[in-house]
Amino acid sequence: MTTGGQPLTSILDAPGVPPVRTLFGLWNDELSESLREFGLPKYRVRQLETALYRQKLADISEITTWPADLRKRVVEAGFRVGLPEIVDTFRSVDGTERYLIAGSDGQTVETVWMPEGDGGEEGDSDEAPPARTWSRATICVSSQIGCAVNCQFCLTAKLGIIRNLSAGEIAGQVAAVLKKHDAEPGKDRINLVFMGMGEPFLNYDAFMAAVRLLAGPMEIPESRMTVSTSGIVPGILRFAHEKVRPKLAISLNAPNDAIREGIMPITRKWSIAEVIEAVRQIPLRQKERVTFEYVLLGGVNDQQEHADEVVKLVRRAPFPAKVNLIAWNPGPEVPFTMPRPDDVARFQERLRHHGVPAFIRRPRGRDIYAACGQLKRTVASQ
Ligand code: SAH
Ligand code: SF4
């Protein structure tokens, strides 16, 4: 298990060979500290940060702002960049791409790229470089391999928890995907959702270290990031004290504790009221709203009486909120059914009628099963 971008030392290293030390994921003092033996002046560390987080170079030998001799010595001491690598790509007709990205031990996680575009032009000529068909995009990022929370409708839950991702592995998913699309957060509108595999608030330190990397040298504004939690109260309370933090989404998924317990056993540990009380502690930014995510499961939580209870719950919440409705993505051996489309529409209508902002998230990448582990094949439609 790794935390906070600490390098993983391979157990396979032969005796006498320096252990592999990963640089991607370290920043500022952590980089200076790791490379202390080289006595690097500050500007050399800054050049390294640019190479890692702006240029996203995959190899120390490519850092041409450094003298060849320094690159060689750093490599000989066992350092490597360790930028996570895309090992498999699935492309949907709607432009959504799902990647398997290898972490430091070769284990893969899933990351999804969801472009929103002007439609672009389909290449008229073979010679023309491929036109960029997106004007903004959302990247769905994983925080753990597998998940311990055991929500009954979720495919990731079936894996159990395999391990936490390090800060470098979390931010590295974004770096790998940005690099693939030649996207620059300074210029392009890139949103991040931490809604991939895993429960970010059960890997809190690495997750927040990744957020600081992403908001810092990787230049993605925190206001363009959203983290989703199943309602881990101690994590929410820590989150309330963060200076730099994404927006928050809570996976509500049920109108009351009784139904929620049946589909999210974590409710026995922290009730809906306790989660809401914890969220109340977060000082929200101007115009910021908390999102309640609500996965509609056919016949379980998608009826009018459920919508009425959700209305009461959201209207009583002591903070501004909105609801994102998500039709359940079916998966093998998960004993639920999809909601009927007219039930989804009526659910939204009921919420809106009573003044609760409600949005239906539209499916993305259906044909490539971008819902993967569970996973994100939806993106906000507002
Ligand atoms: N663990 C965190 C973040 C990852 S799950 C959480 O639970 O919030 C991200 C979202 O996907 C959650 O709102 C979850 O309820 C939803 N989800 C899980 N399985 C799903 C499925 N099969 N279909 C649709 N949404 C699903
Ligand atoms: Fe984990 Fe989220 Fe899936 Fe629940 S919905 S099992 S918390 S990934």
mmCIF file of all heavy atoms in Angstrom, residues 147 153-155 194-196 198-200 228-230 251 253 293 295 326-330 374, ligand 1:
data_model
loop_
_atom_site.group_PDB
_atom_site.id
_atom_site.type_symbol
_atom_site.label_atom_id
_atom_site.label_comp_id
_atom_site.label_asym_id
_atom_site.label_seq_id
_atom_site.Cartn_x
_atom_site.Cartn_y
_atom_site.Cartn_z
ATOM 1 N N CYS A 147 -12.793 -1.590 -4.159
ATOM 2 C CA CYS A 147 -13.416 -0.742 -3.128
ATOM 3 C C CYS A 147 -13.925 -1.619 -1.993
ATOM 4 O O CYS A 147 -14.395 -2.734 -2.221
ATOM 5 C CB CYS A 147 -14.574 0.057 -3.727
ATOM 6 S SG CYS A 147 -15.313 1.221 -2.556
ATOM 7 N N PHE A 153 -25.222 -2.457 -5.612
ATOM 8 C CA PHE A 153 -25.511 -2.260 -7.040
ATOM 9 C C PHE A 153 -24.246 -1.985 -7.852
ATOM 10 O O PHE A 153 -24.308 -1.748 -9.054
ATOM 11 C CB PHE A 153 -26.459 -1.059 -7.204
ATOM 12 C CG PHE A 153 -25.944 0.159 -6.479
ATOM 13 C CD1 PHE A 153 -25.027 0.996 -7.083
ATOM 14 C CD2 PHE A 153 -26.346 0.436 -5.175
ATOM 15 C CE1 PHE A 153 -24.509 2.090 -6.409
ATOM 16 C CE2 PHE A 153 -25.846 1.527 -4.491
ATOM 17 C CZ PHE A 153 -24.920 2.349 -5.108
ATOM 18 N N CYS A 154 -23.077 -1.961 -7.182
ATOM 19 C CA CYS A 154 -21.854 -1.449 -7.815
ATOM 20 C C CYS A 154 -20.915 -2.592 -8.189
ATOM 21 O O CYS A 154 -20.616 -3.455 -7.374
ATOM 22 C CB CYS A 154 -21.165 -0.496 -6.850
ATOM 23 S SG CYS A 154 -19.544 0.034 -7.418
ATOM 24 N N LEU A 155 -20.422 -2.537 -9.433
ATOM 25 C CA LEU A 155 -19.533 -3.602 -9.902
ATOM 26 C C LEU A 155 -18.146 -3.540 -9.273
ATOM 27 O O LEU A 155 -17.512 -4.561 -9.064
ATOM 28 C CB LEU A 155 -19.427 -3.552 -11.425
ATOM 29 C CG LEU A 155 -20.659 -4.125 -12.109
ATOM 30 C CD1 LEU A 155 -20.784 -3.602 -13.523
ATOM 31 C CD2 LEU A 155 -20.618 -5.636 -12.104
ATOM 32 N N PHE A 194 -13.748 12.658 -9.485
ATOM 33 C CA PHE A 194 -13.169 11.506 -8.776
ATOM 34 C C PHE A 194 -14.314 10.552 -8.492
ATOM 35 O O PHE A 194 -14.861 10.499 -7.403
ATOM 36 C CB PHE A 194 -12.458 11.967 -7.502
ATOM 37 C CG PHE A 194 -11.303 12.882 -7.791
ATOM 38 C CD1 PHE A 194 -11.451 14.253 -7.781
ATOM 39 C CD2 PHE A 194 -10.060 12.356 -8.138
ATOM 40 C CE1 PHE A 194 -10.398 15.096 -8.079
ATOM 41 C CE2 PHE A 194 -8.995 13.186 -8.438
ATOM 42 C CZ PHE A 194 -9.170 14.562 -8.410
ATOM 43 N N MET A 195 -14.704 9.860 -9.542
ATOM 44 C CA MET A 195 -15.880 8.991 -9.486
ATOM 45 C C MET A 195 -15.571 7.649 -10.150
ATOM 46 O O MET A 195 -16.469 6.932 -10.566
ATOM 47 C CB MET A 195 -17.069 9.630 -10.209
ATOM 48 C CG MET A 195 -17.527 10.926 -9.584
ATOM 49 S SD MET A 195 -19.001 11.527 -10.412
ATOM 50 C CE MET A 195 -19.235 13.093 -9.590
ATOM 51 N N GLY A 196 -14.300 7.363 -10.282
ATOM 52 C CA GLY A 196 -13.911 6.085 -10.863
ATOM 53 C C GLY A 196 -13.957 4.998 -9.805
ATOM 54 O O GLY A 196 -14.799 5.023 -8.911
ATOM 55 N N GLY A 198 -13.234 3.020 -6.525
ATOM 56 C CA GLY A 198 -12.755 3.278 -5.173
ATOM 57 C C GLY A 198 -13.479 4.392 -4.447
ATOM 58 O O GLY A 198 -14.254 5.151 -5.029
ATOM 59 N N GLU A 199 -13.213 4.464 -3.150
ATOM 60 C CA GLU A 199 -13.811 5.481 -2.286
ATOM 61 C C GLU A 199 -12.694 6.459 -1.889
ATOM 62 O O GLU A 199 -11.838 6.136 -1.059
ATOM 63 C CB GLU A 199 -14.425 4.789 -1.048
ATOM 64 C CG GLU A 199 -14.863 5.714 0.060
ATOM 65 C CD GLU A 199 -15.690 6.900 -0.383
ATOM 66 O OE1 GLU A 199 -16.799 6.714 -0.914
ATOM 67 O OE2 GLU A 199 -15.227 8.051 -0.204
ATOM 68 N N PRO A 200 -12.696 7.662 -2.500
ATOM 69 C CA PRO A 200 -11.589 8.597 -2.265
ATOM 70 C C PRO A 200 -11.359 8.889 -0.783
ATOM 71 O O PRO A 200 -10.217 9.047 -0.349
ATOM 72 C CB PRO A 200 -12.041 9.871 -2.995
ATOM 73 C CG PRO A 200 -13.084 9.430 -3.960
ATOM 74 C CD PRO A 200 -13.698 8.185 -3.436
ATOM 75 N N SER A 228 -16.647 12.443 -5.330
ATOM 76 C CA SER A 228 -17.871 11.782 -4.890
ATOM 77 C C SER A 228 -17.536 10.808 -3.765
ATOM 78 O O SER A 228 -16.578 10.051 -3.857
ATOM 79 C CB SER A 228 -18.463 11.031 -6.085
ATOM 80 O OG SER A 228 -19.546 10.242 -5.675
ATOM 81 N N THR A 229 -18.344 10.852 -2.698
ATOM 82 C CA THR A 229 -18.139 9.917 -1.592
ATOM 83 C C THR A 229 -19.449 9.220 -1.236
ATOM 84 O O THR A 229 -20.530 9.793 -1.378
ATOM 85 C CB THR A 229 -17.559 10.608 -0.337
ATOM 86 O OG1 THR A 229 -17.437 9.626 0.712
ATOM 87 C CG2 THR A 229 -18.444 11.741 0.161
ATOM 88 N N SER A 230 -19.285 8.003 -0.749
ATOM 89 C CA SER A 230 -20.453 7.242 -0.309
ATOM 90 C C SER A 230 -20.911 7.712 1.071
ATOM 91 O O SER A 230 -21.884 7.188 1.608
ATOM 92 C CB SER A 230 -20.092 5.756 -0.266
ATOM 93 O OG SER A 230 -18.958 5.566 0.565
ATOM 94 N N SER A 251 -23.097 10.340 -2.557
ATOM 95 C CA SER A 251 -23.919 9.292 -3.170
ATOM 96 C C SER A 251 -25.056 8.955 -2.218
ATOM 97 O O SER A 251 -24.890 8.160 -1.300
ATOM 98 C CB SER A 251 -23.061 8.050 -3.450
ATOM 99 O OG SER A 251 -22.100 8.357 -4.422
ATOM 100 N N ASN A 253 -28.521 8.028 -3.116
ATOM 101 C CA ASN A 253 -29.046 6.774 -3.685
ATOM 102 C C ASN A 253 -30.291 6.201 -3.023
ATOM 103 O O ASN A 253 -30.784 5.140 -3.436
ATOM 104 C CB ASN A 253 -27.963 5.677 -3.713
ATOM 105 C CG ASN A 253 -26.799 6.052 -4.612
ATOM 106 O OD1 ASN A 253 -26.945 6.942 -5.448
ATOM 107 N ND2 ASN A 253 -25.665 5.415 -4.451
ATOM 108 N N GLU A 293 -25.917 12.521 -5.487
ATOM 109 C CA GLU A 293 -26.073 11.592 -6.603
ATOM 110 C C GLU A 293 -27.114 10.553 -6.218
ATOM 111 O O GLU A 293 -27.170 10.110 -5.064
ATOM 112 C CB GLU A 293 -24.753 10.905 -6.911
ATOM 113 C CG GLU A 293 -23.780 11.844 -7.578
ATOM 114 C CD GLU A 293 -22.413 11.246 -7.585
ATOM 115 O OE1 GLU A 293 -21.779 11.215 -6.526
ATOM 116 O OE2 GLU A 293 -22.009 10.778 -8.655
ATOM 117 N N VAL A 295 -28.612 7.076 -7.803
ATOM 118 C CA VAL A 295 -28.676 6.021 -8.817
ATOM 119 C C VAL A 295 -30.062 5.396 -8.752
ATOM 120 O O VAL A 295 -30.468 4.887 -7.699
ATOM 121 C CB VAL A 295 -27.606 4.937 -8.552
ATOM 122 C CG1 VAL A 295 -27.728 3.803 -9.556
ATOM 123 C CG2 VAL A 295 -26.207 5.542 -8.614
ATOM 124 N N ILE A 326 -29.095 9.248 -11.935
ATOM 125 C CA ILE A 326 -28.311 8.368 -12.805
ATOM 126 C C ILE A 326 -29.082 7.063 -12.949
ATOM 127 O O ILE A 326 -29.354 6.404 -11.944
ATOM 128 C CB ILE A 326 -26.930 8.049 -12.177
ATOM 129 C CG1 ILE A 326 -26.229 9.332 -11.714
ATOM 130 C CG2 ILE A 326 -26.055 7.259 -13.140
ATOM 131 C CD1 ILE A 326 -25.117 9.093 -10.696
ATOM 132 N N ALA A 327 -29.440 6.713 -14.170
ATOM 133 C CA ALA A 327 -30.074 5.402 -14.356
ATOM 134 C C ALA A 327 -29.013 4.334 -14.115
ATOM 135 O O ALA A 327 -27.895 4.438 -14.626
ATOM 136 C CB ALA A 327 -30.635 5.287 -15.764
ATOM 137 N N TRP A 328 -29.374 3.352 -13.331
ATOM 138 C CA TRP A 328 -28.395 2.306 -12.979
ATOM 139 C C TRP A 328 -27.842 1.629 -14.237
ATOM 140 O O TRP A 328 -28.592 1.282 -15.151
ATOM 141 C CB TRP A 328 -29.079 1.266 -12.077
ATOM 142 C CG TRP A 328 -28.183 0.130 -11.707
ATOM 143 C CD1 TRP A 328 -27.071 0.185 -10.927
ATOM 144 C CD2 TRP A 328 -28.325 -1.237 -12.102
ATOM 145 N NE1 TRP A 328 -26.512 -1.065 -10.806
ATOM 146 C CE2 TRP A 328 -27.255 -1.960 -11.522
ATOM 147 C CE3 TRP A 328 -29.255 -1.937 -12.884
ATOM 148 C CZ2 TRP A 328 -27.092 -3.331 -11.696
ATOM 149 C CZ3 TRP A 328 -29.086 -3.297 -13.065
ATOM 150 C CH2 TRP A 328 -28.021 -3.984 -12.478
ATOM 151 N N ASN A 329 -26.512 1.445 -14.254
ATOM 152 C CA ASN A 329 -25.862 0.688 -15.329
ATOM 153 C C ASN A 329 -25.840 -0.774 -14.928
ATOM 154 O O ASN A 329 -25.212 -1.111 -13.930
ATOM 155 C CB ASN A 329 -24.394 1.112 -15.489
ATOM 156 C CG ASN A 329 -24.257 2.551 -15.891
ATOM 157 O OD1 ASN A 329 -25.032 3.056 -16.687
ATOM 158 N ND2 ASN A 329 -23.278 3.224 -15.323
ATOM 159 N N PRO A 330 -26.467 -1.612 -15.693
ATOM 160 C CA PRO A 330 -26.512 -3.016 -15.289
ATOM 161 C C PRO A 330 -25.141 -3.685 -15.416
ATOM 162 O O PRO A 330 -24.277 -3.215 -16.158
ATOM 163 C CB PRO A 330 -27.493 -3.645 -16.272
ATOM 164 C CG PRO A 330 -27.570 -2.706 -17.414
ATOM 165 C CD PRO A 330 -27.146 -1.357 -16.956
ATOM 166 N N GLN A 374 -17.649 -0.036 -12.236
ATOM 167 C CA GLN A 374 -19.083 0.234 -12.094
ATOM 168 C C GLN A 374 -19.529 1.014 -13.298
ATOM 169 O O GLN A 374 -20.640 0.932 -13.743
ATOM 170 C CB GLN A 374 -19.322 0.905 -10.717
ATOM 171 C CG GLN A 374 -19.576 2.344 -10.613
ATOM 172 C CD GLN A 374 -18.360 3.166 -10.399
ATOM 173 O OE1 GLN A 374 -18.384 4.135 -11.029
ATOM 174 N NE2 GLN A 374 -17.361 2.884 -9.630
HETATM 175 N N1 SAH B 1 -16.987 5.581 -4.154
HETATM 176 C C1 SAH B 1 -17.468 6.872 -4.481
HETATM 177 C C2 SAH B 1 -17.049 7.327 -5.868
HETATM 178 C C3 SAH B 1 -17.084 6.285 -6.945
HETATM 179 S S1 SAH B 1 -18.688 5.691 -7.382
HETATM 180 C C4 SAH B 1 -18.987 6.929 -4.323
HETATM 181 O O1 SAH B 1 -19.607 5.889 -4.150
HETATM 182 O O2 SAH B 1 -19.527 8.028 -4.345
HETATM 183 C C5 SAH B 1 -19.321 7.077 -8.307
HETATM 184 C C6 SAH B 1 -20.818 7.061 -8.474
HETATM 185 O O3 SAH B 1 -21.227 5.964 -9.298
HETATM 186 C C7 SAH B 1 -21.589 6.922 -7.157
HETATM 187 O O4 SAH B 1 -22.569 7.921 -7.061
HETATM 188 C C8 SAH B 1 -22.237 5.552 -7.259
HETATM 189 O O5 SAH B 1 -23.446 5.521 -6.542
HETATM 190 C C9 SAH B 1 -22.417 5.417 -8.766
HETATM 191 N N2 SAH B 1 -22.556 4.043 -9.241
HETATM 192 C C10 SAH B 1 -21.981 2.934 -8.758
HETATM 193 N N3 SAH B 1 -22.363 1.855 -9.455
HETATM 194 C C11 SAH B 1 -23.196 2.294 -10.418
HETATM 195 C C12 SAH B 1 -23.926 1.648 -11.465
HETATM 196 N N4 SAH B 1 -23.849 0.352 -11.675
HETATM 197 N N5 SAH B 1 -24.690 2.430 -12.254
HETATM 198 C C13 SAH B 1 -24.755 3.769 -12.085
HETATM 199 N N6 SAH B 1 -24.087 4.420 -11.127
HETATM 200 C C14 SAH B 1 -23.322 3.686 -10.294
#
